[in-house]
Every structure is written in C-alpha cells, then in structure tokens.
Amino acid sequence: MLLALATAPGRPFHRRIPRIQLRFASKLPQEPKKPRPRLAQPEKAAEPVVTDRWNYNSSSLLEGDAKSQEELAGYRLLNANDLEKCKQPPREVKMLVRDWIEDSLYNPNYGYFPKQAVIFDTQNITFDFGRLRNSVEFQVEIGRQYAKYGADELQGPGRQIWHTPTELFKPWYGIALAKCLVSEYLLKYFPYQDFVIYEIGAGNGTLAMNILDYLRSNHPEVYDRTRYHIIEISESLVKLQKKKLTPFHPCVKVIHQSIFRWDKKEPSPCFVVAMEVIDNFAHDMIRYDLRTLQPLQALVTIDDRGDFDMIYAPVTDPLISSFLKLRTQLAHPPAIPRLLRASPALLKAFSSLPFAPNLSQAEYIPTRLLSLLRTLRNHFPRHRLLLSDFSSVPDAISGYNAPVVQTRFQNTTVPVTTLLVAQGFFDIFFPTDFTRLRDMYEHILAEPASGDLPEAPSTPRLATSSPLALGSDYFSSYHPSNRRKPVDGVTSASGLPVGERKSSVFTHAQFLSTYADLQNTRLRSGENPMLEFYQNVKFLF
C-alpha cells in the first residue's frame, strides 16, 4: 500500500519518488506509414537565412529517415491560439516551445487539463489528524482515498490524478490563507473598501469554500463586504465550481477565461490568489551559441507522420526578447558557466575542442509568468499577490530550470526524459526560482502601467490625503527601501502615501507557522504533515 501511495499522486511530496527508467515514445501507436508528399520549398524571403539550426552533437537513431532542417524550417509557424481550433494534434507545423506546452496542457479538444487531469478530492471527508498515529498512517489514509478512483486499465496512460495541500489539509490550509488575507484587509481597507479577492485557477473550489466559510463564521462584517472572483480556464472546472460554491456563497463569481486574455481593470484594492498555478505556466526554451553567446529560440516541429523534432533560430519573438532584456536589467545571469562568459579566450578555446557542443544546455525561461506579472500591473494596479508553488522538483528532464514531464501508467507515476511527448497525456510542470520571481515582480510593478489608471472610489482616508502629484517625497525625502513607490491616491493605514510594502519569500513551513492553527493538523506522534510535507514549496506575499 505504501509503495502504491508513494507513486500514485501526480504531484510530488518533498520525499523523492524512486525513478522508473522508462522512456515513452513521442506519440501514441502510429498509423501505418504512408508515402510522404514532397513539400514545396519555402520562398527565400519568407524567413531569414539561418546557418546553424542543429546541435552538432545531436543525432538521430534513424539518420537516413530524418527530415532535413530546411524542410522542417519551412513548416507553417503556429501559436497556441491558432491551435485551439485543432480537433486533433496538428502535423507539418512548427511552434515555439511555450506554444507547444500550452497546446499540450490546455488545448480544449485534446489537452491534458481539459481531457485527462483529475484533481484529488476527498469529497466531504476531512482527515482526523489527532487520531492518526504518525505520518505513515496518514499516507495510508491518503492511499485509501486514492483507491476509490479505481485501478488504471492495463493498456495506455491511466487516470491522471494529482493532489494539492488544499485538499489534503482542508479546511485548515484554506483557513490559514483566509487569516492572512483578512488580517491585511482589516489593517488597511476595512470598513471603507470591499474585500475583493481574485483566485486564478481554483481547481475543485475547495480553497474558495474554506476561505468563505471561515469569513462567514468568524468575520461576518467582512463577509458581507466580500466579492470573490474565480478566473478559470477549464470549462469542466467552471461548472464544478459554480455547482459547489454559488448555492452557499452568492458573493462568488466564476469567470471562464484565461488570465492571459484578461481585459478588465479592477480599480479597487484587491487580493490576487494563485495556489499551484504558475508551475503549469508555459516556458520558452533558449540555447546559446557557444561561439558568439547569442541566444537562440527553440521551436518544436511536427512532421507529416506526427514525429517531433526541435530546431533553433535567432531570437525574434517579442516576449522572449523582452524577458531576456528584463533579466539583463536585473543582473540575473544566463545558464552559461561564468568562466566562459567572462573570458572570450577561454570560450574560443572551449569551442575549438574536438566534439565540443556548439550550443549551451537547454534553458527554460518563464515567459508566461512575465505575461502574468504584466497583466497584474496593468489590470489590477492596486492588488496584493499571494502566490505559492514548487521551488524545486525531482525527476526533471535535462536542462536549466527544466520541468518534470510525467504520466500515470498502470497505477504508477512515470517521469520521462523528454519534453516531446504525446500532446494531452503528460503533465508538464516547472519549478520557480522565487528570488528571481520577487525581483521580476517588484521591478515590473515599479514600471508605469499601460493606459490610464482608473479612478479609485472615494473613501475618508483618500479624501484626507494629499495627491501624490506633489511628488512621492512631499512629506519626506526618505523613502524606505522595503516599500514600493506609492500609487497616486493610494494611502497606507496611517493615511500617509508611503507606498505598499514589497513582497517577501517564505518557505511553506514559515508561512503556515505564522498563519495556521497547527494544533488541528498535529498527529499523535507530534509530527505535523502540513509543515513537513511540501518542503519544496514556497510562498510569495
């Protein structure tokens, strides 16, 4: 039972799962081969001439059957928005790695989340932690709940089930987050502003239910002023959340939309909650030419038989270029050894060695995370972000900041060694460098928002404060380093425009030790799984 439990969840605990050395084929069982039609060569003006697209050390076991780089490069370039219209995985196309990941995970017709993924749900069962002897017995209880989903079929990928701390430790985990949010609201905005919460990707709706139940029971005056918005991309989860939440909490509004397509501005102070969301945000992949240190963007190609390959071209994508520029401004180094970056002579000598690679290792960059931060800055100018996710992951594929790519097969979670797998049958999730995330977030919030800032509702505090058009140093020439530059018309709890305090990074245990009532999740042995599990998770708040 314990072995089955250790490998059943689709998301890892902090304990490392023994790796099963299997490599899945890049696609499902193939149709019989058909003669390949000869493709017309692309016009010369259609794409810049690129001399190097392949890693010299990369070779195929079927070299004679591989397509030429020119033929692959001539495929149509699509993005994830174009691919939403596809009923089946496309062929004879190419796309950036982030579009490949988004299509694999979120395509409404064959994507992993719409068609395969199931979030572990204990339904109406809450674990009685005080009756459990130790963490081993707790994992046995989790295993019994997993067993209710039934065994996988012997052929093909099994049911893709993964768990979250919200489900394992309900309602106590959700109550800890509620205490965090309501304490900030009471300090800064009550009773002059509504308590506005936006949750991105609410899963089964359990976290929202736990937060709202706590507010109604313990802060009824706050609950009466609460507006809870859920931004959800999955149609099936939208239906589940509405059915679960709206009969009990009329203040809930579920919006079926991707956060990346959000186009409304929220003028009021609000809280944005993102729990285990950004790990599934698509990343781009870049590699550096080790002769010139110029970055190359990776593109996934799919040929006429559905076989995958990867080619590289100079960076032309605006989002990748923007990320690389921001990283330079923040002095975050690329994934190239420091000595090679510092010494051109050493770099030249290294690249001249026999069998030396011409490209650096793969580096996965969080371009979609950058899109989220800019969306928050532009459309939620007075937000406070509460975010939690994995800071490290076991069994990642090769590369810097590389993801875990895994599926369930015959009741066992199997990590694979390549990103190029059948679309929709594999979970792809990334770690987050929270120190870099904090730097990016604070830097972006300091940039001017695009468009005009909506006028905030008038409150007694705002009416008594001087407009910041006089200058952020009107009251004093000193500005604390742990505070953001103030937004015009927004005051602190004291009424002075000193700016919101900057975000901090906390470990999972640090955050819950501050806000959770740990007596409720302590086992008879004295262990506390809510603190001891998920040691590879951090918070930004």
Side-chain angles (χ1 to χ4, degrees), residues 279-494:
D279 60 308
N280 285 121
F281 277 9
H283 287 48
D284 274 292
M285 191 229 283
I286 61 171
R287 298 177 75 175
Y288 284 85
D289 187 323
L290 290 180
R291 296 168 300 182
T292 63
L293 295 188
Q294 293 302 306
L296 303 175
Q297 62 189 24
L299 298 102
V300 176
T301 65
I302 310 174
D303 69 12
D304 57 315
R305 298 173 303 171
D307 288 330
F308 308 132
D309 213 323
M310 199 169 284
I311 59 176
Y312 302 90
V315 173
T316 56
D317 178 68
L319 185 56
I320 296 178
S321 300
S322 179
F323 178 87
L324 296 178
K325 181 180 178 181
L326 174 61
R327 185 169 70 176
T328 301
Q329 294 173 339
L330 296 174
H332 293 165
I336 303 174
R338 183 174 59 86
L339 290 177
L340 294 182
R341 286 187 280 115
S343 174
L346 184 59
L347 178 65
K348 183 178 180 180
F350 175 78
S351 60
S352 300
L353 292 174
F355 305 108
N358 67 313
L359 299 181
S360 67
Q361 67 170 329
E363 179 182 5
Y364 294 86
I365 56 175
T367 42
R368 272 307 192 189
L369 180 57
L370 176 59
S371 298
L372 172 69
L373 300 183
R374 287 177 172 166
T375 298
L376 296 179
R377 179 199 65 189
N378 293 332
H379 298 292
F380 303 88
R382 299 184 176 100
H383 78 277
R384 183 70 188 276
L385 177 62
L386 174 59
L387 181 150
S388 178
D389 226 302
F390 298 111
S391 58
S392 62
V393 291
D395 297 316
I397 64 175
S398 177
Y400 179 81
N401 196 43
V404 173
V405 183
Q406 66 180 24
T407 192
R408 270 172 57 91
F409 183 73
Q410 297 183 9
N411 303 299
T412 300
T413 298
V414 182
V416 299
T417 58
T418 176
L419 183 68
L420 303 182
V421 291
Q423 302 97 311
F425 290 93
F426 292 78
D427 193 5
I428 304 171
F429 59 99
F430 292 82
T432 296
D433 186 324
F434 272 75
T435 300
R436 292 192 175 195
L437 168 59
R438 180 191 58 200
D439 293 347
M440 288 173 54
Y441 179 56
E442 294 299 335
H443 182 89
I444 289 171
L445 290 188
E447 295 178 344
S450 62
D452 296 328
L453 192 67
E455 183 177 353
S458 177
T459 70
R461 282 182 184 162
L462 296 182
T464 58
S465 65
S466 300
L468 296 183
L470 297 173
S472 60
D473 298 330
Y474 178 75
F475 294 96
S476 171
S477 61
Y478 169 70
H479 186 80
S481 60
N482 64 342
R483 295 274 174 172
R484 299 174 188 145
K485 291 293 183 181
V487 178
D488 195 9
V490 178
T491 62
S492 69
S494 65

Side-chain angles (χ1 to χ4, degrees), residues 78-86 90 93 95 99 103 107 110:
L78 299 180
N79 58 38
N81 294 335
D82 301 325
L83 294 167
E84 284 184 0
K85 306 170 187 176
C86 297
V93 297
M95 65 199 77
D99 294 306
D103 183 56
N107 186 287
Y110 52 80

